[in-house]
Every structure is written in structure tokens, then in C-alpha cells.
Amino acid sequence: MEIKYSKIANSLKASEIREILKLSEMPQIISFAGGMPASETFPIKELAKISKKVIEEDGNIALQYTATEGYTPLRETIAKERMTKLGVKTSAEEILIISGSQQGLDLIGRLLIDENDTVICENPSYLGALNAFRLNNPNLIGIPMDKDGMIIEELEKVLATDTTVKLIYTIPDFQNPTGVTMSLERRKRLAELATKYKVIVAEDSPYGELNFNKRTLPSIKSFDRDGYVIFIGTFSKILCPGNRIAWMCAKKEILEKLTQMKQAVDLQSSTLSQRIIYFYINKYDIEAHIENINTLYLKRRDVMINAIESFFPKDVGITRPSGGLFIWVELKQEIDTAELLKKALTLNVAFVPGKAFFVDADKRNFLRLNYSSMNELKIEEGIKRISKLLTKYYN
Ligand SMILES: Cc1ncc(COP(=O)(O)O)c(C=O)c1O
């Protein structure tokens, strides 16, 4: 068989790491690899009740096609509740329901990027976004980060010299993979730079409400005077990812284009899922639900950090996120974490090697640990197993 694939399909390569990480799904593995929310937090009974009711009482609509923009009451609730919490005054007209924030990233790529246009992101950044943008053959530039997020002076250097920049992609809250949060000052500055250089900022915030200090910073979108910021939010991490319901908030004229794009891609997001999420939010207390999730994740983060401090060699560097799902670990320069993963799997423990999160640099001595999906006993045991592998490099 000889299939004449497109250039882009031909350019896709199987990832060795992805193949290895499939092993981490085996039940005996203590996996810190995925970015999964804890499934024991899903409100299963409540969602089962609502699903039954929505289908029985409203099935002729809930199982039918619907408008591409999404279910209006859900759009109104998102505008009024979720966006207000982030300091954004908006209305249903500026909200598009999408099938996971991942679809938002795909649509933004299609909306803005022509071949060789520059896309700027944090370095390291979320691999799923980089891969979505790569489908449009951009020139990806990674901006280094410090404890306050993307270093804005470095960003401005690129904006001042590269006239082909079309998009700045950022995850300002408890970033994937580092857990780092962008400071208030930098959020304001980034919104200003977007206007100054007339470049769209995609603000991807799946973790913003997973905040252990209850000190939610205003979103970049809240400082956006001229409509250059597109905000992407999702129910994946604050409720459950399986419904695939998320949203984009953008100025009306941009949203109309995104809606046309979405229509071509999948017509609409699931009518049924949208209604289930809407009725859940209306009948139950989602704020209390998010607080419960945060209590659990804070406990797990503490167990992981305490275990790292007790068992890892002293000069291993880690981030200490006050929200989200991930800790980012820097090991000695000579340690290749892809090789370390192979050894870790023989001890039935897994993590993600850091290399794939970097845009260009070949950095092999980082790894990402997820603390949300394993229970406390497994977290401690898994960290002990990884530390056994590390000690031999540090003595
Ligand atoms: C930064 C970031 N953006 C987007 C996504 C995709 O989330 P969703 O389930 O809403 O598609 C993830 C998933 O882990 C993520 O970490």
C-alpha cells in the first residue's frame, strides 16, 4: 500500500517518549507522567442524575444539533461567573464554546499562522499547544522564564526586531510544565505590548482556578483595552475533562472568525455535554467543588515536596507551585531524563522527561512531575524510587 500523505502528515514523527510513556498506564506503575485530574473528585452521582434528567426531559433538544457558538445559557453563565472571577467584564456574545481548550489552540493556529510566521511562547511550554501550532509550519520562538513567568524584556527584544510575529502564546497560571505563575506587573506589560505591536496574545488558563492561596491574579485579558487578547478557559480541570467543554473569550469580530473556523472543523461542541455542564453549574455549588479539589491537591503537593526534600539529593532544583498540577525538576547537567525514565520504569514509576517541552534548546536534564492523580502513599513511594536512581549521580 502506498498512501500519498500531505506534507504535514509526512512530517509527523512517532515519538519514542510517547511510546515509552504508554507503559506508564499499566496499573502497577506509579505514574507522575500524565496531567490528569484526580478521577475521585469527579461529581459522578450528580452528573449521572443530571444526564438522566437532561435526556429524559429535554432529549429532543439535548440530542439534536445546535448553534456553533454554543448553548446560550452556558455562554451567559461563563461570562457572568467564570470570567468575572478573572476580572473580565464580558457578555455571552464574546464567548465561544469549544471542544476542550485544545480545540481553541488549534483554531487560533488556523486563524493566525501562515507558513513561517513567528509564534512566541514560553520556553518550556505545553507540548500540546506547540504541536497544534506546528501543524501550520510556524517559526516557533521560546522566551526564557524566571520565577515570575515569561521574561518580558526578552519578549520585547523579539517583538522589536521580528515583524512576522503573529501570536504570543502564554499559560500565565501555574504553567504546564513548570508550575510558575506570571506576575501582575508582567500581565499588564504583556497586554500593553500586544496593543503596541498589534499582536494577538493567546492566554491559556486551564489551571488558574486550581489556586491553593485563593489569591487569583487578574487575567491578562482583564488588562486588554483593545481586544488583542484571546482567553481560553476549560472545565477539564475544575470539573472533568471527559465532557470536552471549554470556551474562548474574545472581541466579537475575532470570535466571529473563530466561529466560522469551528464550523468548518466540527460544526459544534456536543449539545448534550454543554447542557449537562450548564445544569451542573446551576444546581450545584461549583465554587465549593473547586475548593475541595484544591484542598486535595494542596495535600498531595505537600506530600510530594516533603518527599522530595527528604529523599532527593540536596542540590536538585524544584519549583514550588501554589496551584495547578505540576512540579518541574532540574537535575545535574549530565543527566538525560529520557534515559532516567527507562530506568524508572523498571522500578514501576514514571514521569515526563523535560526535553519535549522546550521549543529549540536541547535540554535533557529536566523532568515534570504530576501530583494530582496518585494518592499520598503512592506519591511518597514513587519519589523514594526515583531518588534511588538519582543518588548514584550525586555522590
Ligand atoms: C496548558 C494546557 N492547555 C490546554 C490543555 C488541554 O485541555 P483541554 O482538556 O481543555 O483540552 C492542557 C491539558 O493538559 C494544558 O495543560
Side-chain angles (χ1 to χ4, degrees):
M1 193 167 70
E2 198 187 330
I3 298 174
K4 297 182 184 75
Y5 288 117
S6 66
K7 270 191 220 152
I8 199 76
N10 273 327
S11 75
L12 301 175
K13 286 187 225 84
S15 147
E16 190 201 353
I17 292 295
R18 211 177 304 135
E19 292 308 309
I20 296 171
L21 281 173
K22 279 188 191 155
L23 296 174
S24 71
E25 286 162 21
M26 292 190 304
Q28 71 273 26
I29 303 273
I30 297 177
S31 179
F32 303 134
M36 307 238 219
S39 50
E40 61 269 36
T41 66
F42 300 161
I44 292 175
K45 274 197 202 124
E46 293 85 343
L47 289 172
K49 253 199 231 163
I50 289 171
S51 308
K52 187 167 183 287
K53 196 170 145 64
V54 165
I55 294 177
E56 280 179 357
E57 294 178 14
D58 228 4
N60 57 337
I61 301 170
L63 300 172
Q64 188 55 279
Y65 286 116
T66 189
T68 306
E69 289 82 351
Y71 183 40
T72 306
L74 178 62
R75 295 165 68 209
E76 280 165 354
T77 306
I78 288 169
K80 205 161 69 192
E81 294 175 8
R82 307 258 70 74
M83 295 310 297
T84 304
K85 209 171 156 186
L86 299 163
V88 180
K89 283 200 195 88
T90 184
S91 64
E93 278 193 327
E94 294 188 330
I95 306 290
L96 170 65
I97 303 294
I98 48 179
S99 306
S101 28
Q102 189 66 30
Q103 180 175 56
L105 301 171
D106 175 49
L107 295 177
I108 289 172
R110 292 170 191 264
L111 181 79
L112 298 170
I113 309 169
D114 290 314
E115 197 167 340
N116 297 325
D117 281 343
T118 294
V119 173
I120 296 179
C121 61
E122 285 134 1
N123 205 19
S125 184
Y126 169 53
L127 181 60
L130 304 184
N131 285 342
F133 301 146
R134 279 179 181 134
L135 292 176
N136 307 289
N137 276 319
N139 165 34
L140 273 174
I141 296 185
I143 303 291
M145 303 172 72
D146 61 19
K147 65 173 190 19
D148 291 324
M150 184 190 282
I151 300 174
I152 296 293
E153 293 71 27
E154 296 296 321
L155 166 69
E156 191 159 12
K157 278 186 208 159
V158 178
L159 289 171
T161 50
D162 183 340
T163 53
T164 68
V165 180
K166 285 283 195 69
L167 172 65
I168 302 165
Y169 170 69
T170 177
I171 311 155
D173 305 301
F174 317 117
Q175 197 236 22
N176 182 1
T178 61
V180 165
T181 291
M182 186 184 283
S183 68
L184 183 65
E185 269 319 300
R186 288 190 183 171
R187 288 169 194 243
K188 289 183 188 163
R189 189 79 192 109
L190 184 48
E192 282 166 13
L193 289 177
T195 294
K196 179 172 171 190
Y197 289 97
K198 300 188 170 36
V199 171
I200 292 285
V201 171
E203 178 180 20
D204 184 14
S205 182
Y207 308 108
E209 295 197 58
L210 301 184
N211 187 336
F212 308 149
N213 294 336
K214 301 196 177 85
R215 265 192 56 242
T216 307
L217 288 175
S219 60
I220 300 165
K221 179 80 186 145
S222 72
F223 302 112
D224 175 29
R225 306 251 173 285
D226 302 288
Y228 283 100
V229 181
I230 303 176
F231 179 91
I232 314 168
T234 179
F235 288 102
S236 286
K237 306 291 165 31
I238 56 172
L239 204 54
C240 51
N243 277 307
R244 309 304 299 133
I245 296 297
W247 69 92
M248 285 202 269
C249 176
K251 202 181 164 106
K252 203 166 156 238
E253 69 172 84
I254 301 177
L255 209 79
E256 275 168 11
K257 284 237 178 271
L258 287 166
T259 308
Q260 287 163 10
M261 294 252 161
K262 179 174 165 65
Q263 200 161 42
V265 171
D266 71 346
L267 298 183
Q268 57 158 101
S269 297
S270 158
T271 321
L272 183 60
S273 283
Q274 293 188 60
R275 286 188 175 240
I276 291 170
I277 299 269
Y278 171 71
F279 285 105
Y280 176 85
I281 300 173
N282 263 282
K283 194 164 164 35
Y284 298 95
D285 185 350
I286 192 170
E287 304 304 332
H289 179 73
I290 296 170
E291 244 183 85
N292 289 339
I293 297 176
N294 284 338
T295 306
L296 179 73
Y297 290 176
L298 172 60
K299 197 155 114 207
R300 291 184 175 177
R301 182 210 63 178
D302 284 347
V303 169
M304 187 172 269
I305 288 193
N306 287 340
I308 289 173
E309 283 174 347
S310 305
F311 304 116
F312 274 18
K314 288 292 161 262
D315 40 0
V316 169
I318 59 164
T319 55
R320 290 160 200 273
S322 49
L325 307 186
F326 306 111
I327 292 173
W328 184 239
V329 180
E330 179 173 5
L331 302 176
K332 266 187 182 169
Q333 191 85 38
E334 68 260 32
I335 304 178
D336 180 342
T337 51
E339 292 306 314
L340 195 71
L341 173 64
K342 289 182 192 158
K343 292 182 190 148
L345 283 168
T346 67
L347 301 180
N348 286 338
V349 61
F351 51 79
V352 185
K355 182 173 180 282
F357 299 102
F358 289 101
V359 175
D360 39 21
D362 191 20
K363 293 192 176 170
R364 290 164 185 268
N365 56 319
F366 291 83
L367 61 93
R368 189 192 73 179
L369 296 172
N370 163 273
Y371 50 78
S372 61
S373 53
M374 291 287 125
N375 68 33
E376 290 77 5
L377 279 176
K378 284 188 173 172
I379 291 177
E380 193 172 283
E381 178 56 32
I383 293 296
K384 272 187 198 165
R385 290 183 197 175
I386 298 173
S387 68
K388 268 192 210 141
L389 297 171
L390 291 180
T391 39
K392 86 167 202 292
Y393 293 98
Y394 282 82
N395 287 331

